[in-house]
Amino acid sequence: MGHPVNEISGSVVGLALPDESAALHVTGSASFVDDVPVPHGTLHVALALSPVARGAVKPTNLDAVTTLPGVVAVLTAADVPGTNDCGTIVHDEPILADDEVAYLGQPVVAVVAIDREAATRAAASVTFDCDEQPPMLDPREAHAAGSYVLPPMLLTRPTEGEVAAALAAAPLRLTGDFAVGGQEHFYLETQAALAVPGDDGSMRVLSSTQHPTEVQKLVAGCLGVAHHLVRVECRRMGGGFGGKESQAAQFACLAALAARVTGRPAKIRLGREQDNLITGKRHGFSYDYDVGYDETGRILGYDVTLVSHAGHSADLSGPVLTRAICHVDNAYWLPNVTIRGFAARTNTQSNTAFRGFGGPQGVLVTEYVLDTVARTLGVDPLDVRLRNLYGERPPDGADDQGVETPYGEVVEDNLLRPMIEELIVSSDYRARRAEVTRFNSASPVVKRGLALTPVKFGISFNVSHFNQAGALVHVYTDGSVLVNHSATEMGQGVNTKVLQVVAQELGVPLRTVRSTATDTDKVANTSATAASTGSDMNGKAAQAAARVVRDRLAVVAADLLDGDVSDVVFEGGEVAVRGRSMAFADLASAAYYRRVQLWSDGFYATPGLRWDPATMRGRPFHYYCYGAAVSEAVVDSLTGESRVLRADLLYDAGRSLNPAVDVGQVEGAYVQGVGWLTTEELRWDEQSGRLLTLAPTTYKIPAVHDVPADLRTRLYQRPASADTIHASKAVGEPPLLLAFSAFLAIRDAIHAVVPDGPPPPLRAPATAEEVLRAIEAGRAREGPRA
Ligand code: MTE
Ligand code: LUZ
Ligand code: MOS
């Protein structure tokens, strides 16, 4: 895999540089919460979990558990001095369940002991008296019963009545249902926190969290103290993927509670199976659709219902469902569209953010519907996609496709058509389509399939006020630079990118700039690192901070080098004015002696955003990222096994800040998406509601052999037209949707097994069992063979 490099000469930004922690990662010396040396006397917390999914649960032997070897304290909801709440937006989630439980695995008792083994053993010995109620486990049933965690949502254009009329008038029409499962985050570092009490009622918390400020607020609430008494730090996570956006807080609260009650430092680190049993996952969705179209496959009317599997509490289900609804259009102009959204309440884990944040669940149904329309018409799905793409501005007369999304934001800077056309050529799509057909006609059992899918993904938090970030830049008198910003590092490379921005601004080598832990004592009131906005917003904030310091230094340089401030150039660790120059370090030192402030803050708030949740209209996104992918899959029609043979990925990261990091993000997201849509299947016991897929033995995440042997990734490298940091675009989440091409390539291969009837429905994930089921369904539709 040759990775392209886009060098901007004399620049740090745009270089394919290794991650700032790459050497630490590959040598195993990068430090995570569990690696930090703990203070003397640190205690360990282990949890006793509800054995039932719904009902009243009372621990019966806590006095005995307290006397077990090594046990220092046994905590229940009654021990919380402040508010027993770790809910993110809606405050409907207890830190420890108080009497009533809402899912099997909910934490009820926290055992604090001198070591992790003693705590774990004691927690496992807690017994419960349960008054078990029949749990609600199926989101479809919850929907039928009107049981939701949030009020239903509706987005329609122009009106429900006109959409119904457009459907009735359409020459062709299809109705059906579809579903996609959830997804376990499977971050390598499980949820973890270390809390160290201070002498003044303060609490210092090291947390593996995407959202230190929210952890600070919820820990302060739990302890019943002011926010300024709680300090939360996160140097890095061993992966978050959305699973530590809201759900790290509960464990930080538990560590802080244990520390407060005992007066000693306390640590919690979940085991893998407990983490899987307690924490929420990606929302599975089920759908009903009704689509009207013409003989060319052009969509004339579309009515779709989305039921998300929220689980037992609201968590982030509201914004996730909003993002899903705002991504139903994906790349396509939908003149008449009604989208209904429901967040079903069940007695399971509370589902949460996961890479794409509902966007993938919104797009997938529409890609499936377009695929079904094309197969029903008997044309290549690619041609139906091209027929429905958003128009380009200004419209060229021949093209009457609109440019406005159902929620009213205009699709500016639409790169869909040029990117797809480039990918058709670079992937050799048309010739390979013919080759797949040839292969299939000669191969009765093993069939191949091919699919090209586009992506359009909106960038910004759809909760507008979250779109803010802050940074601090410190220049020391030896010229070394320290950067602190509001984003957290989870492997996505935000620290590396922000360091590149600061190095560029100050004209110093990257190695002289260092990043420190995200820390609520340094930048206050931060947002989660999420919505793929980390580098965008923190890059801008750090650039602003660095510019303030540089401007102050320029005044000193102009004076020392006898020139104009406007002529001062910072480059290569030197500061120059009209041919005279000095080292950056010497300038920093000279500025100090002149009592010039060598550090600054910087702040960024994304401009131009509006959103009205009541009408679901506005401009929720600063800009869109685009992408397209071609996947070729092979299916064994006897076993249902499938494999992606080749994938061609094209992604619009604007003018990439760091092509090495961005290619890694694109490839990682694609493989994570393929896992979600092919092998990762969550199963709950239908009676008890116990999650059965708790370990990699029963929950199949992609391994290195599941990466397509032929993987061709390219960045599009056009500067963003919106005002973004160095004309780059976000990359964290959108490329996950490139994996839809793999799912639909599998469907293409299945259709080649049973070509003679309507396309058999295929649900996601397309596990071997599901592929076989689809083939059987297709055979039944074809009727008895002659
Ligand atoms: N990449 C790695 N290696 N690990 C992660 O946990 N999280 C993803 C994405 N890429 C993640 C990742 C998610 S869900 C998001 S929202 C973005 O990174 C967040 O980082 P960014 O905003 O800096 O891109
Ligand atoms: N909105 C969004 C959010 O679009 N992405 C997010 O990650 C998010 N997180 C919290 C609230 N709204
Ligand atoms: Mo990412 S799902 O926005 O943390």
Side-chain angles (χ1 to χ4, degrees):
M1 279 172 269
H3 291 162
V5 178
N6 175 33
E7 300 216 9
I8 303 167
S9 71
S11 155
V12 185
V13 158
L15 296 185
L17 299 162
D19 185 273
E20 45 109 35
S21 291
L24 300 180
H25 288 151
V26 298
T27 56
S29 38
S31 160
F32 300 88
V33 170
D34 200 38
D35 301 312
V36 174
V38 293
H40 181 70
T42 295
L43 300 172
H44 297 258
V45 181
L47 302 174
L49 311 179
S50 170
V52 300
R54 186 169 165 220
V57 160
K58 278 208 189 315
T60 49
N61 64 338
L62 295 190
D63 287 342
V65 173
T66 311
T67 64
L68 290 175
V71 172
V72 176
V74 176
L75 308 174
T76 66
D79 295 298
V80 175
T83 322
N84 182 17
D85 162 54
C86 60
T88 169
I89 296 173
V90 182
H91 295 287
D92 61 352
E93 206 171 326
I95 299 163
L96 288 172
D98 189 4
D99 196 25
E100 287 294 310
V101 295
Y103 73 103
L104 194 158
Q106 186 164 11
V108 184
V109 177
V111 177
V112 191
I114 54 167
D115 59 39
R116 192 164 177 267
E117 290 62 39
T120 305
R121 230 178 298 120
S125 75
V126 174
T127 52
F128 294 100
D129 204 1
C130 302
D131 178 13
E132 192 176 354
Q133 311 271 308
M136 173 69 82
L137 298 171
D138 180 350
R140 282 254 171 192
E141 274 175 35
H143 176 45
S147 173
Y148 306 117
V149 297
L150 298 154
M153 299 181 190
L154 173 70
L155 171 58
T156 185
R157 170 176 74 189
T159 62
E160 278 185 271
E162 284 161 287
V163 174
L167 278 165
L172 297 164
R173 193 161 168 183
L174 269 176
T175 59
D177 58 34
F178 180 57
V180 60
Q183 186 178 24
E184 169 55 46
H185 300 84
F186 238 102
Y187 27 65
L188 290 181
E189 181 201 24
T190 52
Q191 303 276 1
L194 168 66
V196 183
D199 57 7
D200 57 350
S202 64
M203 192 67 69
R204 179 175 171 226
V205 183
L206 304 191
S207 168
S208 181
T209 176
Q210 292 173 238
H211 201 343
T213 286
E214 187 164 277
V215 171
Q216 176 195 23
K217 289 182 187 173
L218 289 169
V219 166
C222 169
L223 302 180
V225 302
H227 295 181
H228 70 185
L229 282 166
V230 179
R231 174 183 187 184
V232 178
E233 291 164 76
C234 177
R235 173 58 186 89
R236 61 170 67 80
M237 282 158 274
F241 303 111
K244 295 169 182 171
E245 179 172 341
S246 62
Q247 299 204 356
Q250 183 169 20
F251 311 100
C253 288
L254 286 164
L257 176 65
R260 169 55 29 90
V261 170
T262 62
R264 290 163 65 174
K267 182 160 121 174
I268 185 166
R269 170 173 62 81
L270 296 185
R272 176 65 61 191
E273 295 200 1
Q274 271 212 345
D275 191 312
N276 286 352
L277 193 59
I278 298 170
T279 63
K281 295 121 197 10
R282 182 191 292 284
H283 295 69
F285 272 55
S286 55
Y287 315 86
D288 289 297
Y289 62 84
D290 184 347
V291 64
Y293 56 101
D294 68 15
E295 296 74 9
T296 68
R298 184 173 181 218
I299 305 302
L300 304 172
Y302 186 31
D303 185 320
V304 61
T305 296
L306 281 55
V307 178
S308 86
H309 184 184
H312 76 91
S313 72
D315 190 87
L316 293 165
S317 293
V320 165
L321 185 58
T322 303
R323 182 171 281 274
I325 289 171
C326 292
H327 280 74
V328 159
D329 59 324
N330 192 28
Y332 312 110
W333 161 242
L334 301 173
N336 300 287
V337 58
T338 296
I339 309 161
R340 305 162 208 280
F342 301 90
R345 183 193 294 276
T346 61
N347 294 111
T348 63
Q349 296 78 4
S350 186
N351 292 321
T352 191
F354 194 140
R355 205 170 196 170
F357 202 79
Q361 294 96 318
V363 171
L364 186 61
V365 64
T366 299
E367 289 299 340
Y368 182 81
V369 166
L370 287 181
D371 191 78
T372 307
V373 163
R375 292 183 186 286
T376 306
L377 289 169
V379 301
D380 188 330
L382 172 58
D383 295 315
V384 169
R385 294 199 162 86
L386 289 168
R387 181 70 192 92
N388 285 289
L389 284 186
Y390 272 113
E392 278 148 68
R393 260 202 157 169
D396 68 1
D399 177 7
D400 55 358
Q401 292 292 93
V403 295
E404 199 182 307
T405 60
Y407 48 91
E409 180 156 349
V410 170
V411 183
E412 283 161 359
D413 184 25
N414 178 354
L415 302 177
L416 291 162
R417 194 171 294 273
M419 288 183 74
I420 293 170
E421 279 168 3
E422 186 176 316
L423 185 66
I424 288 173
V425 174
S426 65
S427 70
D428 207 13
Y429 179 90
R430 301 283 181 191
R432 284 168 64 206
R433 165 63 66 205
E435 174 53 31
V436 163
T437 306
R438 237 185 337 270
F439 175 91
N440 287 342
S441 64
S443 173
V445 171
V446 172
K447 300 287 187 183
R448 291 195 177 181
L450 190 66
L452 185 156
T453 55
V455 175
K456 164 182 132 290
F457 195 92
I459 300 301
S460 292
F461 285 90
N462 59 17
V463 176
S464 294
H465 70 268
F466 288 161
N467 294 286
Q468 52 176 307
L472 292 174
V473 170
H474 293 188
V475 174
Y476 295 97
T477 54
D478 64 349
S480 64
V481 182
L482 197 68
V483 182
N484 188 275
H485 55 83
S486 52
T488 53
E489 177 63 53
M490 58 193 107
Q492 85 278 38
V494 66
N495 276 350
T496 307
K497 289 180 173 181
V498 172
L499 290 181
Q500 286 176 268
V501 167
V502 171
Q504 172 90 14
E505 219 54 46
L506 298 176
V508 297
L510 194 61
R511 64 183 153 72
T512 68
V513 186
R514 179 176 167 249
S515 196
T516 52
T518 315
D519 183 341
T520 57
D521 273 11
K522 291 197 170 174
V523 180
N525 311 325
T526 61
S527 294
T529 306
S532 304
T533 61
S535 302
D536 281 30
M537 297 204 301
N538 293 277
K540 279 278 194 185
Q543 181 183 50
R547 275 191 179 160
V548 172
V549 178
R550 190 190 63 190
D551 289 348
R552 289 183 193 138
L553 285 169
V555 174
V556 180
D559 187 39
L560 288 171
L561 297 172
D562 196 19
D564 268 1
V565 173
S566 56
D567 293 332
V568 178
V569 176
F570 290 75
E571 207 183 305
E574 298 277 311
V575 184
V577 184
R578 292 177 177 270
R580 294 177 297 278
S581 74
M582 65 192 296
F584 180 84
D586 294 338
L587 176 60
S589 175
Y592 164 76
Y593 283 104
R594 293 180 178 212
R595 294 187 286 175
V596 171
Q597 185 184 345
L598 285 176
W599 53 274
S600 174
D601 64 323
F603 183 76
Y604 178 74
T606 313
L609 304 176
R610 311 173 263 111
W611 181 247
D612 177 358
T615 60
M616 300 203 76
R617 276 186 171 70
R619 185 188 159 82
F621 305 123
H622 187 33
Y623 63 88
Y624 295 100
C625 286
Y626 303 98
V630 174
S631 293
E632 183 171 346
V634 60
V635 167
D636 182 327
S637 63
L638 295 180
T639 64
E641 286 168 289
S642 69
R643 164 167 293 281
V644 181
L645 298 174
R646 171 173 164 185
D648 293 64
L649 314 179
L650 182 60
Y651 184 71
D652 158 38
R655 192 156 65 204
S656 169
L657 288 173
N658 184 326
V661 167
D662 286 355
V663 166
Q665 285 290 295
V666 172
E667 293 181 343
Y670 174 82
V671 172
Q672 194 166 38
V674 171
W676 173 42
L677 297 174
T678 61
T679 62
E680 296 181 40
E681 187 178 27
L682 295 164
R683 286 276 187 102
W684 288 266
D685 181 81
E686 283 170 23
Q687 247 68 58
S688 67
R690 170 177 286 275
L691 181 65
L692 300 170
T693 45
L694 290 175
T697 43
T698 48
Y699 184 81
K700 175 70 181 79
I701 57 172
V704 70
H705 279 98
D706 299 306
V707 177
D710 191 351
L711 180 57
R712 309 183 189 197
T713 308
R714 275 183 316 119
L715 302 176
Y716 197 57
Q717 290 290 17
R718 299 291 186 287
S721 64
D723 180 8
T724 61
I725 184 73
H726 292 288
S728 66
K729 286 187 173 186
V731 69
E733 300 168 282
L736 184 125
L737 289 80
L738 298 176
F740 295 1
S741 57
F743 177 73
L744 293 173
I746 290 170
R747 192 177 194 212
D748 191 44
I750 291 171
H751 202 190
V753 181
V754 283
D756 297 335
L762 179 71
R763 293 183 162 207
T767 58
E769 294 89 336
E770 174 61 12
V771 169
L772 283 184
R773 199 204 50 73
I775 290 171
E776 286 313 314
R779 291 212 165 110
R781 284 172 184 222
E782 279 183 309
R785 277 164 195 271

